[in-house]
Amino acid sequence: MKKIGLFFLLVSSFTFAQKSALAQKIDAITKGKKATVGVSVLGFENNVKYNKNGDRPYPTLSVFKFHIACAVLDLVDQGKLSLDQKLFFKKEDMLENTWSPIREKYPDANISLSLGEVLDYTVALSDNNGCDLLLKLIGGTQTVQKFMDSKGVKGFQIKRNEDDMHKNWKTQYDNYSTPNSAVHVLKKFYDGKLLSKKSTDYLMQIMIGTKTGTNKIVEQLPKNTPVAHKTGSSGKYDNGLTVAENDMGIITLPNGKHYAIAVFVSNSTETDAVNCKMVSDISKAVWDDFNK
């Protein structure tokens, strides 16, 4: 019994030391930065956990497009929507002063795209016009909130669409998630507790194909590492304020195991480059810790 007790003590001490080393690295990365940084990490197979400001709410920005996509695909699973159905973009649907690869490709609008195409634009390319059309299709942000609530997702709120946030940037704070909520919803997603297997696999592939945020959590990871992620970025406002520079995702390790990571940078007066470098450096520190 003494040997068994000593074994568990050694294992516990090792885990604590491992977490402590990671915490020290992340503290060093964020030290002196004029920003609020939240981090959460969750190992899927070994349940290793780490967080810094994990229960603090951070404005999500486009990270919320993952939650929206889940709500849309839930309606697909119910047979109320189809990935093949067409969505029509009128000229007035195309906001001008917003990030929109759809508008760039179809500047005259008046086009029809399949729901599947719009989901891809909205998640992998973070298209804001696609996002708002999806919200309009499913009945607004309240539909997303009700879906997440029904799945037991805590620490998440969505009240504003992209149009709202562009009319008044301060409303960006009305949409939030805690870092711990972000990694736990990703674990629910991975475990098939949000959507059918077909829809889970479908959205996972879209997220692995994400084109935005190449200078965030994926930047310093080995090439071809599977990273299913969703980014968010606010840009700059009064006195050089960045409301948010975010990234969250599921990362597959070389041994085939997985972890979820969320890095949220908020209320920063650092440059965009410094904000993104913090996200990238934290991601690399976590990767190194899991690959010891």
Side-chain angles (χ1 to χ4, degrees), residues 7-242:
F7 171 76
F8 281 113
L9 178 62
L10 289 171
V11 170
S12 297
S13 298
F14 173 76
T15 302
F16 176 78
Q18 190 179 38
K19 288 182 182 179
S20 179
L22 177 60
Q24 288 174 14
K25 286 183 182 179
I26 291 176
D27 285 347
I29 292 166
T30 61
K31 185 177 180 180
K33 300 298 192 300
K34 299 183 289 292
T36 303
V37 182
V39 183
S40 189
V41 180
L42 175 62
F44 285 2
E45 289 81 13
N46 59 13
N47 202 39
V48 167
K49 297 176 182 177
Y50 164 82
N51 80 82
K52 178 184 179 71
N53 297 323
D55 287 324
R56 181 170 182 162
Y58 288 78
T60 51
L61 277 296
S62 288
V63 163
F64 78 161
K65 290 169 183 168
F66 164 79
H67 303 77
I68 292 169
C70 286
V72 170
L73 287 168
D74 175 60
L75 293 172
V76 172
D77 286 341
Q78 294 181 46
K80 295 178 179 179
L81 297 175
S82 165
L83 291 173
D84 296 325
Q85 74 182 77
K86 297 296 184 179
L87 303 185
F88 186 71
F89 286 83
K90 297 178 288 186
K91 186 69 173 176
E92 54 265 36
D93 292 326
M94 296 291 196
L95 301 177
E96 291 296 328
N97 298 314
T98 193
W99 172 255
S100 181
I102 295 176
R103 187 194 62 241
E104 295 303 311
K105 186 171 183 179
Y106 305 103
D108 296 325
N110 296 320
I111 49 112
S112 291
L113 299 176
S114 72
L115 176 58
E117 288 177 288
V118 178
L119 277 170
D120 191 64
Y121 269 111
T122 300
V123 177
L125 292 170
S126 210
D127 194 288
N128 292 335
N129 286 321
C131 172
D132 278 4
L133 198 62
L134 289 177
L135 284 173
K136 184 177 179 181
L137 174 70
I138 66 175
T141 57
Q142 61 268 30
T143 300
V144 183
Q145 188 70 60
K146 287 177 182 177
F147 174 68
M148 288 294 153
D149 290 347
S150 75
K151 297 299 181 177
V153 177
K154 307 295 185 183
F156 169 78
Q157 176 176 286
I158 179 169
K159 286 190 171 182
R160 304 288 185 173
N161 66 8
E162 291 289 351
D163 190 21
D164 291 337
M165 291 189 289
H166 282 76
K167 287 176 179 175
N168 179 0
W169 65 268
K170 293 181 180 179
T171 63
Q172 292 175 11
Y173 291 95
D174 292 338
N175 298 332
Y176 63 73
S177 173
T178 67
N180 286 344
S181 174
V183 297
H184 283 103
V185 76
L186 288 172
K187 180 65 162 60
K188 283 178 181 284
F189 168 68
Y190 177 82
D191 287 343
K193 294 180 179 178
L194 295 183
L195 302 168
S196 69
K197 185 181 187 307
K198 182 177 180 180
S199 289
T200 299
D201 292 345
Y202 181 80
L203 183 53
M204 187 77 76
Q205 288 306 307
I206 290 178
M207 293 171 71
I208 288 173
T210 289
K211 307 295 192 299
T212 58
T214 55
N215 58 347
K216 295 184 185 179
I217 65 174
V218 301
E219 183 179 47
Q220 298 182 58
L221 303 187
K223 190 176 180 181
N224 298 321
T225 297
V227 181
H229 67 125
K230 185 68 203 83
T231 61
S233 182
S234 67
K236 291 285 187 184
Y237 299 99
D238 295 353
N239 300 315
L241 177 73
T242 298

